[in-house]
């Protein structure tokens, strides 16, 4: 009698409209997102309390009984009614996204735990069709930015055939996504396509420039500094903050208590916190590394978004024949430097076309900050690791690298990856700053000869802040300190310490850029553009310097105010909606490429170009499916964000070496086999002497002189790349164009 009662309960649940029926042909992402195991458990317990209780008694010896009871009852329900397959369908899609072999899926389907591979493929097709609708709905608001990037996949053939013997298996594809424009951007802010075209230098109707030329000097004045109580400049304040955070995080345990009390530097212009809204586009069989490929990529992305010129022929890949007219609007397109060059070529080549659509007048290119960060790491490599002689001194960066990465010195010295350089800059910089703390503490009190002894003295946070301020000025090269030291007689100089001060300076510029990007402080990022432009010029990265200047001058001196706001506040997004987790859009695109190629790209016979292209719009759905399964089944959520490595022993080894060789201490008359040039000075010299901007630079420098200086002093204006020298009574006061404080020096420098 009890068995019949259980069977009757199963049949009743199978016949009722409980929401447990999943149609593969009409699958939607909402079904995946809304699926909750706890809801099924509650309904099952309500509809079949006896069966639920019996299974609880049987499974009482094992843990997680709720999940197991739901699975067992779901198997019974599907056996009674094939349409009651909600759990099996969700689990099948999950298995497919994990690249599970088909034989395994077949076995699980026979057990009643999953649906068959054919049913799963039907659900995938339905989800792909739905993604087209979602992309179009988002694109037709016009309040989106488009991000696209190339990615390469090697579809190797295990058994080459005659017709494929000469075919290159490396395939060049293009991925894309749509990102909602946040922070109050409206359609009126983007309705300026014709206004920008009227001012454009590539407009054939403009015989003469419509706007005055702008350059790097104009960028330096975007965010003027205000006086600070510490007497430090904005950059020096951040450097002091970085010295202090490294001591608190990596120094002796005593300093951990100050973490909650440490104040972050004041933001220059921080983007408000908002979680990113995005939609992956369908990947395209287009080689984006060519100009023609960019023309096709932009056109196809807009076609997927359902926008365009209604008077132009329809390309035919959109879901409907209707497109939203965007001729009056501009569209933000994000990408890396290579994309910037090719997009600029597109605009120049198409400038003679008759309509805004055909000349791509609507395209506003936005540079990717993640690739800028990669270029910064490469510039540091060119300065400190590429020259062979730069590796010879005991206090050279290569010697420090050999301590922590002895098996990677060949790779790092020849062609390092970005990740390698990022970690070299990060951990080597931490060790050097901790050693600087040891030196500064010893200056303060000769008894504090180590960080442990400093910690045993229990210094207050105020005292540590004062020491950090001193280090920000004395340990880091500035326009005044490095020149003064190198102006001394060779017998009294410490050339290795001079190199170390420049190393501190460039490492801290990189760290500040990384920190500002994570914090979403777009204003601070813009203050870092000029020094990095100079460093790129000095290290031969002229294209990056040129495009940075063009992009920034266009944003601040050509675009209308509301478009400027839209561009600046949407260069960074926050995928998690948490403080300190802002990311550049090209970084988000690279993460999506990883999912398209590897995480969800398929495996074995399913790893084909068609499969990669068809399922590329579903990476967001697959991520959501994984999160849902981890939550429903209480799975330990694997993550790509690995815990930070334990660097205690590594830092201790490096610090022992640094204490022995004293890179941060002044040693009278110490020689160096290689002198690191002042690359900021060199970069400015190249920028202002090779770019035919000397005349405009003189005008800009003249605007930097305060009226009271003109009325009180006899002035001899001497321009030497980056200094304005005021000569008075045989002495001079210099002002660095980088915004550093004035110095006292000999008048001969300007001459």
């Amino acid at each position: 009698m009890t068995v019949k009662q259980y069977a009757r309960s199963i049949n009743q649940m199978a016949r009722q409209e409980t929401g447990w029926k999943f149609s593969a042909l009409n699958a939607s992402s909402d079904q995946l997102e809304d699926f909750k195991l706890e809801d099924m458990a509650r309904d099952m317990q309500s509809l079949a309390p006896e069966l639920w209780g019996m299974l609880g008694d049987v499974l009482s010896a094992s843990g997680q009984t709720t999940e197991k009871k739901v699975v067992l009852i779901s198997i019974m329900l599907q056996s009674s009614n094939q349409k009651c397959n909600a759990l099996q369908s969700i689990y099948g899609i999950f298995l497919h996204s994990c690249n599970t072999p088909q034989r395994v899926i077949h076995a699980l389907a026979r057990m009643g735990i999953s649906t068959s591979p054919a049913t799963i493929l039907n659900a995938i097709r339905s989800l792909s069709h739905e993604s087209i609708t979602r992309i179009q709905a988002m694109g037709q608001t016009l309040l989106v930015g488009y991000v696209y990037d190339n990615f390469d996949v090697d579809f190797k053939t295990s058994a080459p055939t005659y017709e494929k013997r000469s075919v290159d298996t490396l395939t060049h594809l293009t991925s894309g996504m749509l990102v909602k424009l946040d922070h109050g951007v409206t359609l009126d802010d983007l309705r300026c396509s014709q206004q920008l075209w009227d001012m454009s230098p590539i407009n054939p109707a403009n015989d003469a420039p419509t706007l005055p030329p702008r350059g790097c000097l104009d960028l330096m004045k975007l965010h003027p500094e205000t006086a600070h109580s510490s007497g430090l400049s904005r950059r020096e304040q951040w450097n002091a903050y970085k010295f202090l955070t490294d001591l608190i995080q990596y120094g002796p345990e005593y300093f951990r208590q100050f973490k909650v009390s440490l104040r972050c530097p004041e933001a220059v212009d921080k983007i408000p916190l908002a979680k990113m809204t995005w939609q992956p586009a369908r990947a395209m069989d287009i080689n984006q590394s060519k100009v023609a490929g960019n023309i096709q990529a932009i056109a196809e992305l807009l076609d997927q978004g359902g926008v365009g010129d209604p008077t132009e022929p329809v390309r035919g890949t959109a879901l409907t024949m209707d497109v939203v007219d965007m001729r009056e609007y501009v569209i933000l397109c994000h990408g890396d430097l290579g994309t910037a060059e090719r997009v600029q070529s597109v605009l120049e080549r198409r400038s003679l076309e008759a309509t805004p659509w055909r000349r791509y007048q609507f395209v506003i290119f936005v540079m990717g900050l993640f690739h800028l960060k990669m270029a910064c790491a490469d510039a540091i490599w060119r300065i400190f690791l590429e020259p062979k002689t730069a590796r010879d001194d005991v206090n050279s960066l290569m010697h420090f690298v050999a301590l922590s990465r002895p098996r990677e010195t060949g790779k790092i010295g020849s062609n390092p990856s970005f990740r390698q350089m990022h970690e070299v800059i990060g951990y080597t910089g931490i060790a050097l700053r901790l050693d600087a703390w040891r030196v500064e503490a010893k200056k303060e009190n000769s008894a504090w000869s180590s960080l442990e002894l400093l910690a045993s003295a229990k210094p207050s946070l105020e005292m540590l802040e004062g020491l950090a301020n001193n280090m920000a000025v004395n340990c880091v090269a500035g326009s005044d300190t490095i020149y003064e030291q190198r102006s001394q007689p060779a017998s009294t100089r410490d050339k290795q310490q001079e190199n170390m001060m420049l190393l501190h300076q460039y490492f801290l510029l990189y760290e500040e850029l990384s920190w500002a990007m994570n914090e979403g402080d777009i204003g601070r990022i813009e203050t870092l553009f000029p020094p990095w432009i100079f460093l790129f010029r000095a290290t031969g990265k002229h294209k990056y310097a040129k495009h940075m200047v063009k992009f920034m001058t266009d944003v601040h001196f050509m675009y209308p105010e509301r478009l400027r706001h839209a561009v600046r506040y949407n260069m960074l997004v926050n995928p998690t909606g948490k403080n300190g987790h802002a990311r550049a859009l090209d970084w988000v695109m690279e993460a999506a490429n990883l999912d398209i190629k590897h995480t969800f790209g398929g495996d074995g016979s399913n790893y084909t170009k068609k499969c990669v292209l068809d399922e590329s719009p579903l990476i967001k759905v697959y991520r959501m499916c994984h999160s849902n399964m981890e939550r429903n089944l209480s799975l330990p959520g694997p993550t790509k964000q690995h815990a930070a490595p334990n660097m205690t022993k590594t830092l201790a080894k490096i610090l022992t070496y640094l204490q022995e060789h004293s890179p941060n201490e002044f040693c009278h008359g110490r020689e160096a086999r290689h002198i690191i040039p002042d690359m900021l000075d060199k970069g400015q010299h190249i920028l202002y002497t090779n770019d035919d901007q000397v005349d405009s630079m003189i005008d800009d420098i003249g605007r930097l002189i305060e009226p009271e200086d003109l009325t009180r002093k006899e002035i001899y204006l001497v321009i030497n790349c980056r200094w304005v020298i005021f000569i008075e009574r045989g002495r001079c006061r210099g002002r660095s164009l980088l915004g550093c404080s004035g110095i006292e020096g000999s008048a001969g420098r300007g001459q």
Side-chain angles (χ1 to χ4, degrees), residues 58-323:
V58 173
L59 300 172
S60 60
S62 63
Q64 297 180 332
T65 57
T66 300
E67 292 88 343
K68 293 177 181 178
K69 286 189 284 187
V70 171
V71 171
L72 289 174
I73 294 177
S74 295
I75 294 174
M76 299 176 196
L77 286 172
Q78 191 192 29
S79 299
S80 177
N81 186 344
Q82 290 292 318
K83 293 183 178 181
C84 290
N85 60 350
L87 178 67
Q88 290 83 353
S89 298
I90 301 295
Y91 191 53
I93 295 172
F94 171 73
L95 293 173
H96 178 82
S97 67
C98 293
N99 302 323
T100 306
Q102 285 198 10
R103 179 166 296 187
V104 176
I105 296 178
H106 272 298
L108 293 174
R110 288 297 182 94
M111 298 177 191
I113 299 175
S114 170
T115 52
S116 66
T119 304
I120 293 173
L121 290 179
N122 286 335
I124 297 301
R125 293 190 192 100
S126 176
L127 291 171
S128 297
H129 190 268
E130 183 205 25
S131 70
I132 297 175
T133 306
R134 286 178 175 268
I135 294 168
Q136 192 175 81
M138 189 172 181
Q140 289 187 338
T141 65
L142 297 180
L143 295 175
V144 295
Y146 291 81
V147 192
Y148 67 99
D149 188 24
N150 66 296
F151 68 99
D152 301 329
V153 184
D154 193 358
F155 297 107
K156 294 182 178 180
T157 304
S158 57
T161 58
Y162 176 80
E163 59 271 17
K164 293 183 178 180
R165 68 191 187 282
S166 61
V167 175
D168 185 6
T169 58
L170 184 65
T171 307
H172 307 284
L173 306 173
T174 300
S175 58
M177 67 180 183
L178 286 70
V179 181
K180 179 185 175 184
L181 299 180
D182 287 317
H183 312 296
V185 179
T186 65
L187 283 176
D188 287 338
D189 301 340
L190 306 179
R191 190 184 279 114
C192 55
S193 177
Q194 189 60 41
Q195 177 184 351
L196 293 177
W197 176 246
D198 292 339
M199 297 187 296
S200 174
I202 63 174
N203 186 343
N206 294 333
D207 297 329
T210 57
L211 295 172
R214 299 286 186 172
C216 201
L217 283 176
D218 298 288
L219 302 183
M220 296 177 189
K221 296 177 284 186
L222 291 177
H223 302 282
E225 295 198 33
T226 56
H228 192 264
S229 58
S230 65
L232 302 180
S233 67
R234 181 185 290 140
R235 187 119 306 126
E236 289 169 339
Q237 293 172 49
W238 192 89
N239 292 346
Y241 168 79
K242 182 60 178 172
F243 273 106
L244 201 51
T245 53
D246 286 343
L247 177 69
I248 292 173
Q249 185 171 355
Y250 297 99
E253 187 66 29
Y254 167 79
F255 300 111
R256 303 288 189 277
Q257 62 181 303
F258 299 122
K259 184 175 181 179
V260 295
S261 304
L262 186 63
R263 297 185 297 270
C264 289
E266 184 179 355
V268 180
D269 186 4
K270 189 171 182 178
I271 300 173
L273 189 64
K275 187 174 181 180
M276 175 182 71
T277 302
W278 68 293
Q279 179 66 39
R282 188 180 191 277
M284 300 160 279
D285 189 6
I286 295 172
N287 185 358
Q288 186 251 340
S289 62
K290 300 179 180 179
V291 174
N294 279 264
I295 295 175
Q296 297 174 30
I298 294 174
E300 186 162 331
L301 277 174
L302 295 183
D303 188 52
Q304 290 187 47
V307 298
D309 184 348
T311 64
E312 293 288 335
V314 178
R315 293 175 57 87
T317 59
L319 183 65
T320 67
M321 299 295 288
D322 296 328
V323 296

Side-chain angles (χ1 to χ4, degrees), residues 494-553:
D494 183 350
K495 297 179 182 179
Q496 291 190 33
Q497 190 199 30
E498 294 168 6
N499 289 346
M500 197 51 50
M501 293 174 67
L502 289 169
L503 184 67
H504 276 301
Q505 184 182 28
Y506 304 155
F507 274 22
L508 286 167
L509 284 173
Y510 179 87
E511 294 284 2
E512 187 177 1
L513 177 64
S514 299
W515 183 85
M517 288 172 60
N518 291 339
E519 292 294 319
D521 191 347
I522 189 64
R524 185 174 293 273
I525 292 172
E526 289 173 339
T527 67
L528 288 160
F529 267 55
W532 280 113
I533 289 170
F534 300 143
L535 288 175
F536 288 161
R537 284 290 188 181
T539 54
K541 300 178 76 68
H542 301 294
K543 286 185 178 180
Y544 243 110
K546 175 184 175 183
H547 282 283
M548 288 171 70
V549 172
K550 182 183 186 307
F551 171 72
M552 287 294 291
T553 52

Side-chain angles (χ1 to χ4, degrees), residues 420-440:
Q420 286 176 314
M421 276 306 301
H422 177 75
E423 292 178 351
V424 164
I425 295 169
Y427 292 118
T428 305
I430 290 168
L432 289 169
R433 288 187 287 273
L434 289 177
D435 182 68
W437 271 104
R438 178 188 62 81
V439 174
E440 188 65 26

Side-chain angles (χ1 to χ4, degrees), residues 182-185 189 560-570:
D182 287 317
H183 312 296
V185 179
D189 301 340
E561 181 181 355
R562 291 302 302 170
L563 176 60
R564 183 186 317 133
H565 167 83
V567 171
R568 295 177 67 244
Y569 274 49
N570 288 279

